Amino acid sequence: MIKSKVVAAVALSLACGFAFAETEVSFSNKVSSDIVNIVKEGDEDTDSDFAGIKNKSVFEYSSEKLDAMIELVFWSNKVAAPSDGEDAFALGVTDEDSSGPGYDFGDTYIEVRPLDILGFEFHEKMWAAGSYFPIWDDNVSTGNIGSDLGAIVRPMEGLVIGAGLDFTSVFGHDDYKPVVNFGAEYTTDAFALAATVRNVADNSASEVNEADGFGFGVYGSLLKIEGLVLNAGFGYNTSVEPDVVKAGGSVVAGNLFTAAATYEKEAFHAALDFATNFTDSKDNEYDFYIAATAGYNVIESLSLDCAFATALDAESDSDKKVDARFHVNPAVTYTLGNHELSAGVNVFFGEDYTNVNFPVYWKYSF
């Protein structure tokens, strides 16, 4: 009884401490759809399908001792919506395994810091700044400093060191053994440098355990020039499913060199993505991903944007049906207080292939 009272008192003390500590809370909910998906392949008849609806809710909590995020995504029909609302640069790729309704907890995580320099994290993806693609809006997998369960050390301002385990049986991998990871990033006002090592205990992979395999990444970000951010990096791995950029008839995959840039000046903004694996890839995979976007804020609340993306295959194999795939996406976005509304057109095309849909979304955030 005494022990239980002590535990309850400690729990109450921690709760009160969090309640009165300086905190930041944010929430967003985004409802999106591509409306209708129109596909024309070769000599086949044009096929039209409802593109489904997707809802993404994100709740974030931040304080001196605790950071947490809950992300919940659910969809009515995914197979008919290749751009998947947000992943507009899948370049017309559909995922048959994702058909029908479903849900996902996404990047949900918790990090607690009992000491100023020491924290413990659960399922936290701490991405190196230089591993980010602004147009694809995602990161290369070897840019992750975090783990499913790990420790985060901040010994000095700007320096973050992570070490932890990925438990493959729990978080969607294929085996029961843990994967050991390390990573570090140093950030200043002018630049950020990061290095990661994934699965240090295993230097091979198998078809059964595709997530296995040693890997490492080095990434940098230049922040010195006002309005301009430059990212670059390289990721190496031995896994059967290596670093992937979702572009082209399937993906650009392998040991990737990546680069990206964003630029903002007054009402004008632009971005660039680039990735290559330097080698001839497997069937249905591409060797280059290039994307660019530019936009202009006509007024403070209204933005006009146009994006272009392509995936190119370095091989000249006559047996391949598609050697390149392209995507054009003009869009208009209107902001009114906490509400953001957007509408556009996606046009995907390649050899004997055309795909058109009409992405729209409403996002509420505070």
Side-chain angles (χ1 to χ4, degrees), residues 71-92:
E71 180 179 293
L72 177 60
V73 184
F74 60 88
W75 56 88
S76 65
N77 180 25
K78 203 172 182 180
V79 69
S83 71
D84 192 21
E86 293 181 354
D87 189 10
F89 291 84
L91 296 186

Side-chain angles (χ1 to χ4, degrees), residues 54-132:
K54 174 181 175 181
N55 191 90
K56 180 179 180 180
S57 301
V58 180
F59 170 82
E60 292 186 78
Y61 175 90
S62 178
S63 69
E64 181 182 358
K65 296 295 184 181
L66 177 69
D67 291 343
M69 179 174 76
I70 300 174
E71 180 179 293
L72 177 60
V73 184
F74 60 88
W75 56 88
S76 65
N77 180 25
K78 203 172 182 180
V79 69
S83 71
D84 192 21
E86 293 181 354
D87 189 10
F89 291 84
L91 296 186
V93 181
T94 60
D95 185 355
E96 297 294 339
D97 294 332
S98 298
S99 61
Y103 69 93
D104 183 23
F105 281 100
D107 293 333
T108 298
Y109 76 89
I110 296 173
E111 181 186 334
V112 59
R113 292 177 291 276
L115 303 174
D116 290 341
I117 67 169
L118 177 64
F120 298 98
E121 52 99 355
F122 172 76
H123 200 224
E124 184 173 12
K125 293 182 178 179
M126 303 181 64
W127 296 111
S131 70
Y132 181 65

Side-chain angles (χ1 to χ4, degrees), residues 45-274:
D45 294 337
T46 300
D47 186 24
S48 300
D49 294 295
F50 172 56
I53 298 175
K54 174 181 175 181
N55 191 90
K56 180 179 180 180
S57 301
V58 180
F59 170 82
E60 292 186 78
Y61 175 90
S62 178
S63 69
E64 181 182 358
K65 296 295 184 181
L66 177 69
D67 291 343
M69 179 174 76
I70 300 174
E71 180 179 293
L72 177 60
V73 184
F74 60 88
W75 56 88
S76 65
N77 180 25
K78 203 172 182 180
V79 69
S83 71
D84 192 21
E86 293 181 354
D87 189 10
F89 291 84
L91 296 186
V93 181
T94 60
D95 185 355
E96 297 294 339
D97 294 332
S98 298
S99 61
Y103 69 93
D104 183 23
F105 281 100
D107 293 333
T108 298
Y109 76 89
I110 296 173
E111 181 186 334
V112 59
R113 292 177 291 276
L115 303 174
D116 290 341
I117 67 169
L118 177 64
F120 298 98
E121 52 99 355
F122 172 76
H123 200 224
E124 184 173 12
K125 293 182 178 179
M126 303 181 64
W127 296 111
S131 70
Y132 181 65
F133 288 100
I135 302 176
W136 180 37
D137 193 22
D138 211 336
N139 298 72
V140 184
S141 61
T142 48
N144 185 16
I145 299 172
S147 300
D148 291 339
L149 180 64
I152 304 296
V153 181
R154 297 176 174 86
M156 57 182 288
E157 184 177 358
L159 179 61
V160 177
I161 302 171
L165 306 174
D166 285 345
F167 294 100
T168 54
S169 63
V170 179
F171 295 107
H173 305 293
D174 299 314
D175 201 1
Y176 287 90
K177 64 182 179 181
V179 174
V180 183
N181 308 309
F182 296 95
E185 182 172 43
Y186 180 68
T187 304
T188 70
D189 293 337
F191 65 88
L193 294 175
T196 65
V197 183
R198 313 294 297 177
N199 200 2
V200 298
D202 194 347
N203 60 4
S204 62
S206 68
E207 294 293 338
V208 176
N209 304 316
E210 295 178 342
D212 288 350
F214 168 79
F216 72 85
V218 288
Y219 297 95
S221 187
L222 181 63
L223 313 169
K224 184 67 175 178
I225 304 174
E226 183 178 359
L228 178 66
V229 176
L230 298 174
N231 297 335
F234 175 76
Y236 168 85
N237 54 73
T238 61
S239 66
V240 175
E241 290 188 346
D243 274 352
V244 166
V245 174
K246 293 181 181 178
S250 177
V251 293
V252 177
N255 302 319
L256 297 182
F257 168 76
T258 59
T262 60
Y263 179 72
E264 293 186 20
K265 185 175 182 181
E266 297 176 349
F268 175 77
H269 50 272
L272 176 71
D273 289 353
F274 173 81

Side-chain angles (χ1 to χ4, degrees), residues 284-299:
N284 299 321
E285 292 180 359
Y286 288 77
D287 306 305
F288 294 92
Y289 158 68
I290 305 169
T293 185
Y296 188 80
N297 296 329
V298 180
I299 56 177

